[in-house]
Amino acid sequence: MTQTIAASTPRPKAGGRMKTRGRLIDLAIDVFLFCFSILMILPLVFLVSNAFKTPEEIVAWPPRIIPTDPTLENFRSVLADTPLPLWIFNSVAFSTLSMVAIVMTSAIAGYVLAKFPFRSLNIVFILILATAIVPFEVYMIPLYFQAQALGVLNSLWGLLLGYLVMSFGIFLIRQNVMHSIPDELLEAARIDGAGEFWIFWKIVLPLLRGALGALAVLAFFQAWTSFAWPMIVTTTRDSYTIEVGLALFQTGFTVDLGRLSAASAAVLVPSITLFVILRRNFVQGVASTGMKE
């Protein structure tokens, strides 16, 4: 009788077990990623929170995310004692002009290296890739003497001198041009009488919108977060970028956490705004680049 009941009990199907196991694995991955993202974003949350805390509350233990007595004194002190808006303006101008220069040079160089069949261009491309493995610190001092000879120290042009071309940007655009723009399309435009500048402006650039958006974000943040080059090329207080200016809040023995947090929180606004504006292009550009060989 027992054997008859066991034989008549329906067994779960293998497909159902596999589906349940897959859902559990997906749930575990989601939980892990959620916890990891919380850990990653927690320092940023405390940075913004500390900007509104008193000095006593900043060092209190255990720390609190929401201030018990919110204050704007840190922001008032920073704006009164330092030229923070000028530093932000210098960084925005430096990062924006560097981004425009890198996007332009990368688009032109990447298109020429990808679609013009000259053997010498391969040598040029190899040389460009070779410069990518040379650390910036190696040629930073010769570049400083060059800026000094040109008389552009403590100026925006001096800052831009080291951030006009990005070898990775040229490589990124070249690969996108090779895989996204067919030769037949360009030949058809030439047969119809289109000039090279018209082809580049009307056909090539619109098709590279995603890659150029991703490169723009990378180039902007490269200049925005740069410290070593602005540190040596600017020596006056009014010519500092925001990264150099923030270093003034730290001395050899103390760190002004309240004002440093307030200044850092104010600095987040331009960079987050740009990322939100170009987020779609950045994601599309990185995704399309990753899917190409």
Side-chain angles (χ1 to χ4, degrees):
M1 183 65 179
T2 304
Q3 294 178 351
T4 304
I5 294 175
S8 61
T9 302
R11 296 181 178 179
K13 296 182 179 180
R17 289 199 300 271
M18 293 293 292
K19 188 178 294 184
T20 303
R21 184 179 178 183
R23 288 175 179 174
L24 291 176
I25 292 175
D26 292 341
L27 180 62
I29 293 174
D30 291 342
V31 171
F32 172 76
L33 292 178
F34 177 76
C35 296
F36 185 73
S37 63
I38 292 296
L39 290 177
M40 294 295 293
I41 203 173
L42 203 55
L44 183 63
V45 173
F46 272 108
L47 171 68
V48 177
S49 173
N50 288 340
F52 297 94
K53 292 179 180 177
T54 60
E56 295 76 14
E57 192 175 3
I58 290 177
V59 297
W61 187 264
R64 291 184 176 182
I65 294 179
I66 301 176
T68 55
D69 187 16
T71 177
L72 294 176
E73 185 57 33
N74 294 323
F75 290 96
R76 294 194 191 97
S77 178
V78 167
L79 293 175
D81 298 339
T82 65
L84 182 66
L86 182 60
W87 293 345
I88 294 178
F89 173 78
N90 291 339
S91 285
V92 170
F94 167 46
S95 303
T96 303
L97 292 177
S98 173
M99 176 186 69
V100 172
I102 287 175
V103 168
M104 290 177 59
T105 55
S106 299
I108 296 172
Y111 171 59
V112 172
L113 291 173
K115 292 300 180 181
F116 287 78
F118 298 110
R119 185 171 298 177
S120 59
L121 292 179
N122 293 329
I123 300 175
V124 174
F125 181 60
I126 292 173
L127 292 175
I128 292 174
L129 287 183
T131 60
I133 63 174
V134 180
F136 181 71
E137 288 74 11
V138 172
Y139 56 90
M140 184 171 60
I141 300 304
L143 196 63
Y144 171 79
F145 287 117
Q146 186 176 356
Q148 188 181 38
L150 294 173
V152 293
L153 295 178
N154 297 315
S155 70
L156 184 60
W157 304 114
L159 290 170
L160 285 172
L161 196 60
Y163 288 84
L164 293 174
V165 180
M166 182 192 289
S167 56
F168 171 74
I170 295 174
F171 171 76
L172 177 70
I173 299 303
R174 177 182 179 271
Q175 297 304 106
N176 274 272
V177 170
M178 291 179 64
H179 293 91
S180 303
I181 302 176
D183 294 336
E184 293 77 9
L185 180 61
L186 303 179
E187 290 299 328
R190 292 190 181 103
I191 291 173
D192 290 340
E196 292 298 331
F197 179 77
W198 190 93
I199 294 174
F200 176 74
W201 188 259
K202 294 291 184 179
I203 297 177
V204 176
L205 288 184
L207 293 176
L208 294 176
R209 187 177 302 170
L212 291 176
L215 179 61
V217 174
L218 293 175
F220 184 89
F221 282 104
Q222 175 189 251
W224 183 265
T225 59
S226 62
F227 178 76
W229 176 244
M231 184 69 182
I232 67 170
V233 83
T234 58
T235 55
T236 60
R237 191 179 175 91
D238 291 341
S239 63
Y240 286 166
T241 60
I242 189 62
E243 291 291 329
V244 180
L246 289 178
L248 297 180
F249 292 99
Q250 180 177 359
T251 65
F253 302 98
T254 61
V255 179
D256 192 341
L257 290 177
R259 297 202 302 171
L260 179 60
S261 300
S264 300
V267 169
L268 290 175
V269 176
S271 54
I272 291 178
T273 303
L274 178 73
F275 181 78
V276 170
I277 294 174
L278 296 177
R279 178 178 57 86
R280 179 174 299 177
N281 288 334
F282 178 74
V283 174
Q284 288 178 352
V286 173
S288 61
T289 303
M291 288 187 294
K292 295 180 175 62
E293 295 179 357

